Amino acid sequence: MIKDLLLVIDISTNDDAIVAAAVRMAGHHQAHLSVALLSVIPVPDYTVMVFPPYVTLDEYREKAEAKERSVRDRAARAGVDVEIRILSDTARVLLDKTPAQTRYADLVLFGPPATWEDEWLRRRVLENVILGSGRPVLSLPLDGTVPSFERAVIGWNAGPEATRAIQVALPHLSAHADVVVAIVNPETSADHHGSDPGADIACHLARHGLRVDVATTTAHSGAEAEALRAMAADRGVDLLVLGAFARSRLRELILGGVTEDMIGTVATPTLLMH
């Protein structure tokens, strides 16, 4: 059950579809909608600049307040109450502040990089929220498609992150939802998949009333994320569920990984949980 939604955005004007999606989800679930509106102040001493364009704090405040009015107006037209918190600070401080805002939400929503004014900030904040909030993140596609929670692909590697992702997804999935347990490069082992990869987790999900299929595929190293995307597209689902950062953040950054690939632009709404 979703009763608290939090949307994380910045002052970009390119996120209308994402804001509309958050408002639509809140209305559908009769949930409270909160918005963390990030406004980056580029330098600590922002009151006076020596050279043009003589940027002042007032200009940042005006941009943030204009964005707040736009979001509030959209929510009001849909009959949805919204709480907006403007977080204005340097990027470094916002990276620490934002995860604290997300701990009181059932689901944290992010739009894709193209909907942010600062794509670097979006990636770093998203990573910090995934790793530091203890809450699931729903990454939305550019068109603002929201999941029905009736058809999902679950990326399963039998690890603790994937287990937690399933745990947080279960309350949101519709009764009798169609679920595909997707396993890339399955290997039998006593401490992970067991002798029949996917069989045990499929039984667990079926006991919750879900209609479950197990699908396996192979992919070269570094192409696992693309294999999962292809499976989601082939199955026509509207939700992809993944455990995030099964490897350390540094290893993902240096060597690549499914999470680093998936926190960019997605075609299918993607639920991420560490």
Side-chain angles (χ1 to χ4, degrees):
M1 180 181 296
I2 299 173
K3 287 301 175 185
D4 258 313
L5 282 171
L6 174 67
L7 172 65
V8 183
I9 55 176
D10 71 356
I11 59 174
S12 169
T13 58
N14 299 322
D15 59 3
D16 283 353
I18 302 303
V19 174
V23 170
R24 196 161 62 250
M25 281 191 72
H28 176 74
H29 294 281
Q30 297 183 323
H32 175 75
L33 176 61
S34 300
V35 176
L37 173 52
L38 310 189
S39 174
V40 179
I41 299 168
V43 290
D45 187 14
Y46 44 71
T47 54
V48 177
M49 292 253 184
V50 177
F51 300 106
Y54 305 110
V55 178
T56 66
L57 177 60
D58 286 342
E59 292 178 59
Y60 289 97
R61 183 184 297 115
E62 288 168 6
K63 284 185 176 180
E65 289 175 350
K67 182 60 177 285
E68 179 187 16
R69 288 192 299 271
S70 173
V71 174
R72 200 175 295 282
D73 288 347
R74 180 179 288 276
R77 290 196 300 270
V80 171
D81 291 330
V82 62
E83 175 189 355
I84 302 175
R85 297 182 181 181
I86 299 177
L87 307 181
S88 293
D89 219 312
T90 62
R92 183 181 298 275
V93 173
L94 290 178
L95 292 179
D96 294 329
K97 274 186 176 180
T98 309
Q101 299 291 319
T102 66
R103 297 191 179 113
Y104 313 102
D106 297 314
L107 203 55
V108 183
L109 308 180
F110 275 80
T115 63
W116 280 61
E117 185 171 279
D118 188 334
E119 295 186 12
W120 175 88
L121 178 69
R122 180 241 179 220
R123 174 173 282 270
R124 291 298 309 277
V125 168
L126 178 51
E127 290 173 346
N128 280 14
V129 169
I130 290 172
L131 288 168
S133 72
R135 292 297 189 178
V137 168
L138 183 64
S139 181
L140 296 172
L142 189 59
D143 63 1
T145 297
V146 297
S148 66
F149 296 102
E150 294 177 355
R151 302 182 311 280
V153 163
I154 296 174
W156 178 245
N157 64 359
E161 294 79 14
T163 303
R164 284 190 287 270
I166 289 176
Q167 182 183 26
V168 300
L170 273 174
H172 305 317
L173 291 171
S174 301
H176 311 299
D178 291 306
V179 172
V180 179
V181 175
I183 307 173
V184 181
N185 301 329
E187 294 181 0
T188 58
S189 64
D191 58 344
H192 279 84
H193 286 298
S195 60
D196 188 3
D200 290 333
I201 193 64
C203 288
H204 170 66
L205 294 172
R207 293 184 189 110
H208 283 269
L210 305 178
R211 294 188 289 261
V212 187
D213 184 25
V214 177
T216 61
T217 187
T218 57
H220 297 298
S221 178
E224 296 89 349
E226 188 54 43
L228 290 170
R229 288 193 193 99
M231 191 173 295
D234 291 344
R235 297 288 182 133
V237 302
D238 59 10
L239 179 65
L240 184 56
V241 178
L242 296 173
F245 292 111
R247 297 193 292 189
S248 74
R249 187 179 192 174
L250 181 61
R251 283 176 60 83
E252 287 254 352
L253 186 63
I254 296 173
L255 302 176
V258 173
T259 308
E260 280 296 318
D261 289 339
M262 285 295 189
I263 63 177
T265 300
V266 296
T268 303
T270 302
L271 184 70
L272 298 159
M273 181 68 190
H274 178 59

